[in-house]
Structures are given as structure tokens and as C-alpha cells.
Amino acid sequence: FALLLTPRLPSALFASPPHAASVRSLDPTATMPMKLFAHPDNYKTKKALVAARYVGLDVEAVKGGSGEGKVPVLETEQGCIFSSTAIARYLSRISRPVGLYGQNLLEGGMIDSWVEFCTHELEVPLCTWVLPVMGVFPEVPEATACAKEDVKKALSVLNNHLLHNTFMVGHTVTLADISVCCALVDGMQLVLDADFRKPFGNLMRWFNLCLAQ
């Protein structure tokens, strides 16, 4: 996760998880080169690349669109997958031993719940707040004010959950952790200052733990 704080994603910066070597022998797709057509600096691209590294896959990020002009698109020898969440879910399911999608059906459902929460309750308001700061589109002050309150509510939910949990689901990193952490990085760098973060001690402990992985 530490590379999330840098604009580029060289694969050498990823520490291979302990199961990575076995993944290549268990799953045939692990030996096939894949290309991810996406914006390399987008947090959604980083989400897919972190998941890929955890399961032991070498995925090349290619700036720009695929043949059909869509991004993000993961190109495999069997076909293409589009949508950042679908790509991340596919990659996370490559290896059961790694456990990015949990150890059982219940954990898988919990991970899906947090991924959906991240998409709708966290990313939407956070992007409304962050993207104007990044110069993507002009700020609408009323929208920013509402977004700040919605971000605060989402972070409160996460902070309360992490009071009694080291990770989002189970006892190891899962796609839920990857999704939420990647979604937070731009906000942590650009808008969530020390005063805003102060009430969310559990969340910050978890966030720093993820970056240290």
C-alpha cells in the first residue's frame, strides 16, 4: 500500500504476499500477461494494481483506452473486463489462499457490503470535495459544504467499525481494505487535514497500518 502515496506504480515497490508464489502454480491466469487500460494516477487504477500484486499477478497499467475506447479495461487472454470494481473483484478472487475475498461466503458478503459502502457513501462525496482541488472541475461551494458533512458521516461509520476490528473484514487485508484505503489517499493528501482527522483515531490507525503493508 505504501506506493499509494506516490504517483507512479512500479511493480518493484510492491512486497509480494506470502501466498504469491503458490498462486502462480494454482491458477493458470497467474502466468498470463494482463494489461490494464486505465488512467495510471487514478485511485481506482491503484485499487486494481494492489489487488493484482497481492494475488501474485503482474498487471501492466497502460495509459489510455482499449480497442473499444473504454477505461478502465482489464485485457486477459480469455476476454476483457471493464469497470474498476468488477476488475478488482475478479483479481481478488484469483486466489482463495490469499483471501482478498474472505475465507467463506459470509466474509465475501461482508466484503461486498463494504465495497458498496465505499463506492456510494465515501467516494461520491469525497470526489465532490477533492476533484475541484485537483482542478478537474470548478468548485460549487454549496456542493462542497454538503460533501464535507457526508464524508464526515462516512468516516464516522468506518471509525466506529474499526474500534473493534483490525481490518475491515476478518483478520487480514481484503478487497474491502484495499478499496477504502485507495479511495481515501487523495483526500488524505489534499483535504483531510489534522483537525478533520482528529476524531477518527481508529480509522487513522487502520489507514497507517494499510500503508505499512
Side-chain angles (χ1 to χ4, degrees):
F1 283 93
L3 62 113
L4 292 175
L5 298 177
T6 63
R8 299 188 64 187
L9 294 165
S11 59
L13 292 181
F14 287 91
S16 296
H19 302 289
S22 63
V23 173
R24 293 185 175 86
S25 61
L26 291 173
D27 191 276
T29 61
T31 61
M32 300 175 183
M34 295 185 186
K35 290 184 178 181
L36 177 63
F37 296 91
H39 301 294
D41 296 335
N42 191 285
Y43 72 91
K44 296 180 180 179
T45 303
K46 296 176 182 181
K47 174 174 63 176
L49 292 176
V50 170
R53 182 56 58 180
Y54 259 89
V55 299
L57 290 175
D58 293 323
V59 175
E60 178 187 0
V62 181
K63 187 175 183 179
S66 64
E68 297 180 357
K70 298 178 180 179
V71 290
V73 172
L74 180 68
E75 183 181 83
T76 76
E77 290 193 359
Q78 291 77 35
C80 293
I81 301 170
F82 65 92
S83 165
S84 61
T85 300
I87 292 168
R89 283 173 165 155
Y90 166 76
L91 294 170
S92 297
R93 290 184 174 114
I94 289 291
S95 172
R96 182 178 291 273
V98 173
L100 287 188
Y101 233 92
Q103 302 299 326
N104 51 58
L105 289 174
L106 178 60
E107 288 190 0
M110 291 178 176
I111 291 165
D112 279 333
S113 296
W114 285 114
V115 169
E116 294 296 325
F117 173 88
C118 180
T119 300
H120 300 294
E121 305 298 328
L122 177 60
E123 294 179 38
V124 171
L126 193 54
C127 285
T128 301
W129 187 2
V130 169
L131 292 182
V133 176
M134 299 175 69
V136 177
F137 56 74
E139 181 181 8
V140 179
E142 296 83 0
T144 300
C146 291
K148 290 180 180 179
E149 291 304 312
D150 289 341
V151 168
K152 188 177 296 184
K153 291 176 184 177
L155 297 189
S156 294
V157 171
L158 293 169
N159 192 66
N160 291 337
H161 175 71
L162 290 165
L163 174 62
H164 300 295
N165 296 277
T166 302
F167 296 102
M168 294 301 300
V169 177
H171 303 291
T172 59
V173 169
T174 66
L175 180 59
D177 299 284
I178 294 172
S179 297
V180 177
C181 187
C182 289
L184 283 171
V185 168
D186 289 337
M188 291 291 185
Q189 291 178 324
L190 298 174
V191 298
L192 303 178
D193 59 23
D195 287 339
F196 195 93
R197 300 179 193 185
K198 191 173 182 179
F200 309 115
N202 303 320
L203 175 66
M204 292 311 303
R205 180 266 306 160
W206 164 87
F207 183 75
N208 291 326
L209 175 63
C210 286
L211 292 184
Q213 297 298 302

